[in-house]
Amino acid sequence: MSDIILSTSGLTKAFAGFTAVNKVDLEIRRGSIHALIGPNGAGKTTCFNLLTKFFTPTAGKIFYNGKDVTGKKPADVARLGLVRSFQISAVFPKLSARINVRIALQRKRGNSFDFWRSEKVLDLLDDEAMRLIDAVGLAPYAETPAGELSYGRKRALEIATTLALNPELLLLDEPMAGLGREDIQRIEALIRSVSESRTVLMVEHNLSVVASLSDRITVLARGQVLAEGDYETVSKDSRVVEAYIGSGAGHVH
């Protein structure tokens, strides 16, 4: 098994007269936390949408575990183990945190419509749901309706429902967006523990989080790879500093 879990070759996405992602070559190492960063408009989200098959590339290829998945649908790549966490939209607000996770587990088993037939199956799924709820620090809120959880706890629930699909590669789209300091610390610890048994690729604006979590960082600017390496390397790269300051995004440090 190669140590590269996900790679792209010449990945390009053009919208009418505008190239959002331009010949991007990525290599995501198995078992790593890899961050995709860059100033606003750098093409990070478009790149993410290409990797998770929500956009079709204009050119280039995407390989997952050595297989060409460029032409596959979002559900197909999710089944292969490449799963994206959606911001908040993954939760059913009136149902408890536990039931939200159980629904995701039922989905994984592909028996979402016959779950009421077997009490035993339900009990097993409940045990597994509680294990995941506990893993993300939500045990005291297991029976709280998802819609009543604080914003930070909703993010934790969203990660729990994503983990229920048992991803090999977890894609996190700005996991810290809108969180206060305390929640950031909690989600950061959660991502670190989650990454012990899987690969994480995240788009993230919070550079201190990127600095403390990431093994490797790819910096995008104007749709192209500007720099790559660990945080110390990229933060000292004059082109990276210039890209951030030039875009009004402030310092990289």
Side-chain angles (χ1 to χ4, degrees):
M1 189 68 93
S2 155
D3 66 344
I4 301 300
I5 188 168
L6 180 71
S7 64
T8 69
S9 163
L11 194 62
T12 300
K13 180 64 178 175
F15 299 97
F18 168 65
T19 305
V21 171
N22 192 359
K23 298 183 183 142
V24 166
D25 295 341
L26 280 179
E27 284 197 339
I28 312 301
R29 221 166 259 285
R30 194 179 304 281
S32 69
I33 299 180
H34 195 120
L36 206 50
I37 71 168
N40 289 335
K44 305 180 295 290
T45 304
T46 305
C47 199
F48 231 54
N49 283 328
L50 290 167
L51 295 175
T52 49
K53 314 308 310 177
F54 286 87
F55 287 167
T56 305
T58 308
K61 298 257 184 229
I62 301 166
F63 299 93
Y64 180 64
N65 276 327
K67 294 190 194 79
D68 184 346
V69 296
T70 317
K72 290 199 178 295
K73 295 185 171 70
D76 296 334
V77 293
R79 244 175 250 122
L80 289 173
L82 185 152
V83 181
R84 176 180 185 168
S85 166
F86 282 93
Q87 293 179 331
I88 309 306
S89 60
V91 298
F92 296 94
K94 291 194 167 66
L95 300 178
S96 72
R98 175 178 56 84
I99 301 291
N100 266 278
V101 176
R102 197 176 75 191
I103 287 169
L105 288 165
Q106 285 161 205
R107 239 191 240 158
K108 169 74 179 159
R109 291 171 63 110
N111 61 357
S112 47
F113 294 110
D114 62 7
F115 61 84
W116 54 83
R117 288 182 198 163
S118 161
E119 204 73 19
K120 203 149 79 179
V121 168
L122 218 50
D123 286 347
L124 283 172
L125 289 178
D126 262 337
D127 290 349
E128 175 70 355
M130 280 310 296
R131 198 181 60 72
L132 286 164
I133 288 274
D134 195 36
V136 300
L138 287 178
Y141 308 94
E143 302 310 319
T144 305
E148 291 173 22
L149 293 171
S150 71
Y151 191 74
R153 292 199 173 97
K154 276 196 185 113
R155 302 312 299 260
L157 176 58
E158 181 201 331
I159 291 173
T161 57
T162 309
L163 292 178
L165 301 174
N166 199 23
E168 186 183 16
L169 172 58
L170 177 60
L171 294 116
L172 298 173
D173 191 5
E174 293 189 33
M176 306 302 172
L179 297 185
R181 183 173 296 171
E182 198 179 301
D183 281 331
I184 285 176
Q185 286 172 339
R186 195 185 295 133
I187 300 294
E188 199 176 315
L190 175 53
I191 292 170
R192 194 172 272 118
S193 71
V194 156
S195 72
E196 283 167 17
S197 55
R198 46 181 64 79
T199 308
V200 176
L201 174 63
M202 63 177 183
V203 166
E204 183 51 60
H205 274 296
N206 185 320
L207 292 174
S208 66
V209 166
V210 169
S212 76
L213 274 182
S214 309
D215 300 304
R216 194 159 184 82
I217 295 161
T218 301
V219 185
L220 291 182
R222 292 188 284 286
Q224 294 178 304
V225 174
L226 190 63
E228 198 165 72
D230 60 17
Y231 187 78
E232 201 173 337
T233 307
V234 301
S235 66
K236 287 181 178 150
D237 189 311
S238 58
R239 293 164 308 163
V240 174
V241 175
E242 193 185 328
Y244 269 89
I245 294 170
S247 74
H251 289 269
V252 187
H253 302 287

